Amino acid sequence: MGMYTNLRLKVYVKEQYRNMINQINDGADWSEFVTQFPFLSSYAKLGRAEFIPRGGSSYMPYGWNDGSKATEGFDTHIDLGTGYWTFQCSLKDYENEIECFFKDVLPVLITSSEHIESYYEEWDDSKFYELKDGAIKLKSESFKTYRYN
């Protein structure tokens, strides 16, 4: 069946990408923007690219949602004025969609990061990332413990 990786973000999107992110939040596919933004081409070809940011809430750690509603301000939203983009999602990361998103997409889209966290359902701890020197880099291998042995 496969295991899920959970992802949640609070970041600031550059002005030229805010409308695109708003449309993606509302159901548009990344592939619809490849002609306008060619840096999306590799990512948009991946089988589960559309699960970021819209993947369900499968196997999320306790506290990430309350029923079907995101907690801690991680509801899927972008403020078109400030560019503040929040979401959380789950996906089966079969084709390394998250790695590709971190490498090819997110550093181009954002000016800064407040919170970038991933959690694979069999890990004890989540990982925390940040935008640094134009790239998404691991800041903490053991950010928060969600699972206890």
Coordinates of all heavy atoms in Angstrom, one line a residue, residues 20-69:
M20 N -0.5 32.4 -9.2 CA -0.4 30.9 -9.5 C -0.7 30.1 -8.3 O -1.4 29.1 -8.4 CB 1.0 30.6 -10.1 CG 1.2 29.2 -10.3 SD 2.9 28.7 -10.8 CE 3.8 29.1 -9.3
I21 N -0.1 30.4 -7.2 CA -0.3 29.6 -6.0 C -1.7 29.7 -5.5 O -2.3 28.6 -5.1 CB 0.7 30.1 -4.8 CG1 2.1 29.9 -5.2 CG2 0.3 29.4 -3.5 CD1 2.5 28.4 -5.5
N22 N -2.4 30.8 -5.7 CA -3.8 30.9 -5.3 C -4.6 29.9 -6.2 O -5.5 29.3 -5.7 CB -4.2 32.3 -5.5 CG -5.6 32.6 -5.0 OD1 -5.9 32.2 -3.9 ND2 -6.4 33.3 -5.7
Q23 N -4.3 29.9 -7.5 CA -5.0 29.0 -8.4 C -4.7 27.5 -8.1 O -5.6 26.7 -8.1 CB -4.6 29.3 -9.8 CG -5.2 30.6 -10.3 CD -4.8 31.0 -11.7 OE1 -5.0 30.2 -12.6 NE2 -4.1 32.1 -11.9
I24 N -3.5 27.2 -7.7 CA -3.1 25.8 -7.3 C -3.8 25.4 -6.1 O -4.3 24.3 -6.0 CB -1.6 25.7 -7.3 CG1 -1.0 25.7 -8.7 CG2 -1.2 24.4 -6.5 CD1 0.5 25.8 -8.8
N25 N -3.9 26.3 -5.1 CA -4.6 26.1 -3.9 C -6.1 25.7 -4.2 O -6.7 24.9 -3.5 CB -4.6 27.3 -2.9 CG -3.3 27.4 -2.2 OD1 -2.4 26.6 -2.2 ND2 -3.2 28.6 -1.5
D26 N -6.6 26.4 -5.2 CA -8.0 26.2 -5.6 C -8.2 25.0 -6.6 O -9.4 24.8 -7.0 CB -8.6 27.5 -6.2 CG -8.8 28.5 -5.2 OD1 -8.9 28.2 -4.0 OD2 -8.9 29.7 -5.6
G27 N -7.2 24.3 -6.9 CA -7.4 23.1 -7.8 C -6.6 23.0 -9.1 O -6.7 22.0 -9.8
A28 N -6.0 24.1 -9.5 CA -5.2 24.1 -10.8 C -4.0 23.2 -10.6 O -3.5 23.0 -9.5 CB -4.8 25.5 -11.1
D29 N -3.6 22.6 -11.7 CA -2.4 21.8 -11.7 C -1.1 22.6 -12.0 O -1.2 23.5 -12.7 CB -2.5 20.7 -12.8 CG -3.6 19.7 -12.5 OD1 -4.1 19.6 -11.3 OD2 -4.1 19.0 -13.4
W30 N 0.0 22.1 -11.4 CA 1.3 22.7 -11.7 C 1.6 22.8 -13.2 O 2.1 23.7 -13.7 CB 2.4 22.0 -10.9 CG 2.3 22.1 -9.4 CD1 1.8 21.2 -8.6 CD2 2.8 23.2 -8.6 NE1 1.9 21.6 -7.3 CE2 2.5 22.9 -7.3 CE3 3.4 24.4 -8.9 CZ2 2.8 23.7 -6.2 CZ3 3.7 25.2 -7.8 CH2 3.4 24.9 -6.5
S31 N 1.2 21.7 -13.9 CA 1.5 21.6 -15.3 C 0.8 22.7 -16.1 O 1.3 23.1 -17.2 CB 1.0 20.2 -15.8 OG -0.4 20.1 -15.6
E32 N -0.2 23.3 -15.6 CA -0.9 24.4 -16.3 C 0.0 25.7 -16.4 O -0.3 26.6 -17.2 CB -2.2 24.8 -15.6 CG -3.2 23.7 -15.7 CD -4.5 24.0 -14.9 OE1 -5.0 25.2 -14.9 OE2 -5.0 23.1 -14.2
F33 N 1.0 25.7 -15.6 CA 1.9 26.9 -15.5 C 3.3 26.7 -16.1 O 4.1 27.6 -16.0 CB 1.9 27.4 -14.1 CG 0.6 27.7 -13.5 CD1 -0.1 26.8 -12.8 CD2 0.0 29.0 -13.7 CE1 -1.4 27.1 -12.3 CE2 -1.2 29.3 -13.2 CZ -1.9 28.3 -12.5
V34 N 3.5 25.6 -16.6 CA 4.9 25.2 -17.1 C 5.3 26.2 -18.3 O 6.5 26.6 -18.3 CB 5.0 23.7 -17.6 CG1 6.2 23.5 -18.3 CG2 4.9 22.8 -16.4
T35 N 4.4 26.5 -19.2 CA 4.8 27.4 -20.3 C 5.2 28.8 -19.7 O 6.2 29.3 -20.2 CB 3.6 27.6 -21.3 OG1 3.3 26.3 -21.8 CG2 4.0 28.5 -22.4
Q36 N 4.5 29.3 -18.8 CA 4.8 30.6 -18.2 C 6.0 30.5 -17.3 O 6.8 31.5 -17.2 CB 3.6 31.1 -17.4 CG 3.7 32.5 -16.9 CD 2.4 32.9 -16.1 OE1 1.4 32.2 -16.0 NE2 2.5 34.2 -15.6
F37 N 6.1 29.4 -16.5 CA 7.2 29.2 -15.6 C 7.9 27.9 -15.8 O 7.7 26.9 -15.2 CB 6.7 29.3 -14.1 CG 5.9 30.6 -13.8 CD1 4.6 30.5 -13.5 CD2 6.5 31.8 -13.8 CE1 3.9 31.6 -13.2 CE2 5.8 33.0 -13.5 CZ 4.5 32.9 -13.2
P38 N 8.9 27.9 -16.7 CA 9.5 26.6 -17.1 C 10.3 25.9 -16.0 O 10.4 24.6 -16.1 CB 10.5 27.1 -18.2 CG 10.0 28.3 -18.7 CD 9.3 29.0 -17.6
F39 N 10.6 26.5 -14.9 CA 11.3 25.8 -13.8 C 10.4 24.8 -13.2 O 10.8 23.9 -12.5 CB 11.8 26.8 -12.8 CG 10.7 27.5 -12.0 CD1 10.2 26.9 -10.8 CD2 10.1 28.7 -12.4 CE1 9.2 27.5 -10.0 CE2 9.1 29.3 -11.6 CZ 8.6 28.7 -10.5
L40 N 9.1 24.8 -13.5 CA 8.1 23.8 -13.0 C 8.1 22.5 -13.8 O 7.5 21.6 -13.3 CB 6.7 24.4 -13.0 CG 6.5 25.6 -12.1 CD1 5.1 26.2 -12.3 CD2 6.6 25.2 -10.6
S41 N 8.7 22.5 -14.9 CA 8.5 21.4 -15.9 C 8.9 20.0 -15.3 O 8.1 19.1 -15.4 CB 9.3 21.6 -17.2 OG 10.7 21.7 -16.9
S42 N 10.0 19.9 -14.6 CA 10.4 18.6 -14.1 C 9.5 18.1 -13.0 O 9.0 17.0 -12.9 CB 11.8 18.6 -13.5 OG 12.7 18.8 -14.5
Y43 N 9.1 19.1 -12.1 CA 8.2 18.8 -11.0 C 6.8 18.4 -11.5 O 6.3 17.4 -11.0 CB 8.2 19.9 -10.0 CG 7.2 19.7 -8.9 CD1 7.6 18.7 -7.9 CD2 6.0 20.3 -8.8 CE1 6.7 18.4 -6.8 CE2 5.1 20.0 -7.7 CZ 5.5 19.1 -6.8 OH 4.6 18.7 -5.8
A44 N 6.3 19.2 -12.4 CA 5.0 18.9 -12.9 C 4.8 17.6 -13.5 O 3.6 17.1 -13.6 CB 4.6 20.0 -13.9
K45 N 5.8 16.9 -14.0 CA 5.7 15.6 -14.6 C 5.6 14.5 -13.6 O 5.3 13.4 -14.0 CB 7.0 15.4 -15.5 CG 7.1 16.2 -16.7 CD 8.4 16.0 -17.4 CE 8.6 17.0 -18.6 NZ 9.9 16.9 -19.2
L46 N 5.9 14.7 -12.4 CA 5.8 13.7 -11.4 C 4.4 13.3 -11.0 O 3.5 14.1 -11.0 CB 6.6 14.1 -10.1 CG 8.1 14.5 -10.3 CD1 8.6 15.0 -9.0 CD2 8.8 13.2 -10.7
G47 N 4.2 12.0 -10.8 CA 2.9 11.4 -10.6 C 2.0 12.1 -9.5 O 0.8 12.2 -9.6
R48 N 2.7 12.4 -8.4 CA 1.9 13.0 -7.3 C 2.2 14.5 -7.0 O 2.0 14.9 -5.9 CB 2.2 12.1 -6.1 CG 1.6 10.7 -6.2 CD 1.9 9.8 -5.0 NE 1.5 8.5 -5.3 CZ 0.3 8.0 -5.0 NH1 -0.6 8.7 -4.5 NH2 0.1 6.7 -5.3
A49 N 2.7 15.2 -8.0 CA 3.0 16.6 -7.9 C 1.8 17.4 -7.4 O 1.9 18.3 -6.5 CB 3.5 17.2 -9.2
E50 N 0.6 17.0 -7.8 CA -0.6 17.8 -7.4 C -1.0 17.6 -5.9 O -1.8 18.3 -5.4 CB -1.8 17.4 -8.3 CG -1.5 17.5 -9.8 CD -0.8 18.7 -10.2 OE1 -1.1 19.8 -9.7 OE2 0.0 18.7 -11.2
F51 N -0.4 16.6 -5.3 CA -0.6 16.4 -3.9 C 0.0 17.5 -3.0 O -0.3 17.6 -1.8 CB -0.2 15.0 -3.4 CG -1.1 13.9 -3.9 CD1 -1.2 13.5 -5.2 CD2 -1.8 13.2 -2.9 CE1 -2.0 12.5 -5.6 CE2 -2.7 12.2 -3.3 CZ -2.7 11.8 -4.7
I52 N 0.9 18.2 -3.6 CA 1.5 19.4 -2.9 C 0.9 20.6 -3.6 O 1.1 20.8 -4.7 CB 3.0 19.4 -3.0 CG1 3.6 18.2 -2.3 CG2 3.5 20.7 -2.4 CD1 5.2 18.1 -2.4
P53 N 0.0 21.4 -2.9 CA -0.3 21.4 -1.5 C -1.6 20.7 -1.1 O -2.1 21.0 0.0 CB -0.4 22.9 -1.2 CG -1.1 23.4 -2.5 CD -0.5 22.6 -3.6
R54 N -2.2 19.9 -2.0 CA -3.6 19.5 -1.8 C -3.8 18.0 -1.4 O -4.9 17.6 -1.4 CB -4.4 19.8 -3.1 CG -4.4 21.2 -3.5 CD -5.3 21.5 -4.6 NE -5.2 20.6 -5.7 CZ -4.4 20.8 -6.8 NH1 -3.7 21.9 -6.9 NH2 -4.3 19.9 -7.7
G55 N -2.7 17.4 -1.0 CA -2.9 16.0 -0.5 C -3.7 15.9 0.7 O -3.6 16.8 1.6
G56 N -4.4 14.8 0.9 CA -5.3 14.6 2.1 C -4.5 14.6 3.4 O -3.3 15.0 3.5
S57 N -5.2 14.2 4.5 CA -4.5 14.2 5.8 C -4.3 12.8 6.3 O -4.7 12.5 7.4 CB -5.4 15.0 6.8 OG -6.7 14.5 6.8
S58 N -3.7 12.0 5.5 CA -3.4 10.6 5.8 C -2.2 10.4 6.7 O -1.2 10.9 6.4 CB -3.2 9.8 4.6 OG -4.3 9.9 3.7
Y59 N -2.5 9.8 7.8 CA -1.4 9.4 8.8 C -0.6 10.6 9.3 O 0.6 10.5 9.5 CB -0.5 8.3 8.2 CG -1.2 7.1 7.8 CD1 -1.7 6.8 6.6 CD2 -1.5 6.2 8.8 CE1 -2.4 5.7 6.3 CE2 -2.2 5.0 8.5 CZ -2.7 4.8 7.3 OH -3.4 3.6 7.0
M60 N -1.3 11.7 9.4 CA -0.6 12.9 10.0 C -0.4 12.7 11.5 O -1.2 12.0 12.1 CB -1.4 14.2 9.8 CG -1.4 14.6 8.4 SD -2.2 16.2 8.2 CE -1.7 16.6 6.5
P61 N 0.7 13.3 12.0 CA 0.9 13.2 13.4 C -0.2 13.8 14.3 O -0.9 14.7 13.8 CB 2.2 14.0 13.7 CG 2.8 14.1 12.3 CD 1.7 14.0 11.3
Y62 N -0.4 13.3 15.5 CA -1.4 13.8 16.4 C -1.2 15.3 16.5 O 0.0 15.8 16.8 CB -1.3 13.1 17.7 CG -2.3 13.7 18.7 CD1 -3.7 13.3 18.6 CD2 -1.9 14.6 19.7 CE1 -4.6 13.8 19.5 CE2 -2.8 15.1 20.6 CZ -4.1 14.7 20.5 OH -5.0 15.2 21.4
G63 N -2.2 16.1 16.4 CA -2.1 17.5 16.6 C -2.0 18.3 15.3 O -2.1 19.5 15.3
W64 N -1.7 17.6 14.2 CA -1.6 18.4 12.9 C -3.0 18.8 12.3 O -3.1 19.7 11.6 CB -0.8 17.5 11.8 CG 0.7 17.6 11.9 CD1 1.4 17.8 13.1 CD2 1.6 17.6 10.9 NE1 2.7 17.8 12.8 CE2 2.9 17.7 11.4 CE3 1.5 17.5 9.5 CZ2 4.0 17.7 10.6 CZ3 2.6 17.4 8.7 CH2 3.9 17.6 9.3
N65 N -4.0 18.0 12.7 CA -5.3 18.4 12.3 C -6.3 18.0 13.4 O -6.0 17.3 14.3 CB -5.7 17.8 11.0 CG -5.7 16.3 11.0 OD1 -6.0 15.6 12.0 ND2 -5.4 15.7 9.9
D66 N -7.4 18.6 13.3 CA -8.5 18.4 14.2 C -9.7 17.9 13.4 O -10.4 18.6 12.8 CB -8.9 19.7 14.9 CG -10.1 19.5 15.9 OD1 -10.4 18.3 16.2 OD2 -10.6 20.5 16.4
G67 N -9.8 16.6 13.2 CA -10.7 16.0 12.2 C -10.2 16.2 10.9 O -9.1 15.7 10.5
S68 N -10.8 17.0 10.1 CA -10.3 17.3 8.7 C -9.8 18.7 8.6 O -9.4 19.1 7.5 CB -11.4 17.1 7.7 OG -12.5 18.0 7.9
K69 N -9.7 19.4 9.7 CA -9.3 20.8 9.6 C -7.8 20.9 10.2 O -7.5 20.4 11.2 CB -10.2 21.7 10.5 CG -9.9 23.1 10.5 CD -10.9 23.9 11.3 CE -10.7 25.4 11.5 NZ -9.5 26.0 11.0

